[in-house]
């Protein structure tokens, strides 16, 4: 019996992706890297959330130097353009999930479009304070340096989370 998959795909427009790309098509393979850190912050979750959603908070937590706008993230689609300072990487942070007081997800869209990056921040009550978990998932197609870059990302994330913690705990 013939598989129905080839018959269905042309109607979806996915035939080239699934059945094969034409000669000369660029196909790149890479690694998906996930780095995650958690910190306990001595401030109420509502205060941590308010700081998180501000341009200043996103800058501290994301290592982002804002280029335009200073409006807080308050809904899906909100965005903030700037430069990831450590990597000298200009782009735009776009909110993709907003669960007020609990979770913010965003996509980092680098201006050069060379990789994919997703950031997830979860804020939870922890005793009289808050627990913040920051997870960064990105693609890396540089096989020779992927481990080195992941270690650098890990150290840089720890530093950013410490900066955010200090900012969020300020009266």
């Amino acid at each position: 019996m013939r598989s129905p998959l080839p018959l269905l795909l042309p109607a979806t427009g996915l035939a080239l992706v699934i059945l094969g790309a034409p000669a000369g098509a660029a196909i790149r393979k890479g690694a998906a890297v996930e780095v995650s850190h958690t910190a306990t912050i001595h401030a109420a979750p509502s205060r941590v959330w308010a700081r998180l959603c501000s341009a200043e908070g996103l800058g501290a937590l994301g290592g982002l130097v804002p280029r335009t706008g200073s409006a807080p993230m308050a809904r899906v689609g909100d965005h903030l353009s700037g430069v990831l300072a450590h990597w000298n990487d200009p782009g735009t942070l776009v909110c993709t999930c907003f669960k007020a007081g609990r979770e913010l997800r965003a996509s980092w869209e680098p201006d050069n479009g060379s990789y994919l990056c997703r950031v997830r921040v979860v804020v939870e009550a922890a005793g009289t304070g808050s627990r913040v978990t920051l997870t960064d998932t990105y693609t890396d197609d540089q096989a020779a340096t992927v481990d080195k870059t992941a270690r650098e990302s890990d150290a840089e994330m720890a530093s950013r989370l410490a900066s955010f913690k200090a900012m969020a705990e300020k009266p």
Side-chain angles (χ1 to χ4, degrees):
M1 178 174 167
R2 185 174 173 193
S3 168
L5 189 57
L7 298 174
L8 296 175
L9 288 175
T12 67
L14 296 176
L16 285 177
V17 174
I18 303 301
L19 300 177
I27 299 173
R28 292 175 27 187
K29 292 173 86 176
V33 179
E34 183 174 285
V35 180
S36 187
H37 281 266
T38 299
T40 299
I41 297 179
H42 302 291
S46 60
R47 179 186 177 132
V48 170
W49 184 257
R51 296 282 171 106
L52 165 66
C53 295
S54 70
E56 179 188 17
L58 288 167
L61 195 57
L64 179 67
V65 177
R67 199 170 37 191
T68 59
S70 60
M73 291 272 181
R75 65 187 170 276
V76 171
D78 284 352
H79 60 280
L80 182 63
S81 294
V83 176
L84 295 179
H86 181 81
W87 306 100
N88 192 27
D89 187 16
T92 304
L93 189 67
V94 181
C95 181
T96 59
C97 177
F98 189 88
K99 296 178 183 176
R102 298 180 317 187
E103 181 180 358
L104 174 71
R105 280 185 258 157
S107 173
W108 173 251
E109 297 294 333
D111 284 355
N112 67 11
S114 64
Y115 63 95
L116 304 173
C117 181
R118 184 184 129 219
V119 177
R120 181 178 187 228
V121 184
V122 176
V123 177
E124 302 170 291
T128 59
S130 305
R131 180 174 38 257
V132 174
T133 302
L134 171 62
T135 304
D136 187 2
T137 307
Y138 63 91
T139 59
D140 191 332
D141 66 351
Q142 305 298 309
T145 59
V146 67
D147 291 334
K148 176 183 176 286
T149 303
R151 284 190 300 276
E152 191 174 342
S153 293
D154 184 59
E156 195 257 342
M157 179 185 280
S159 174
R160 288 186 283 132
L161 194 52
S163 293
F164 178 76
K165 175 179 166 67
M167 183 199 80
E169 290 178 344
K170 269 189 209 173

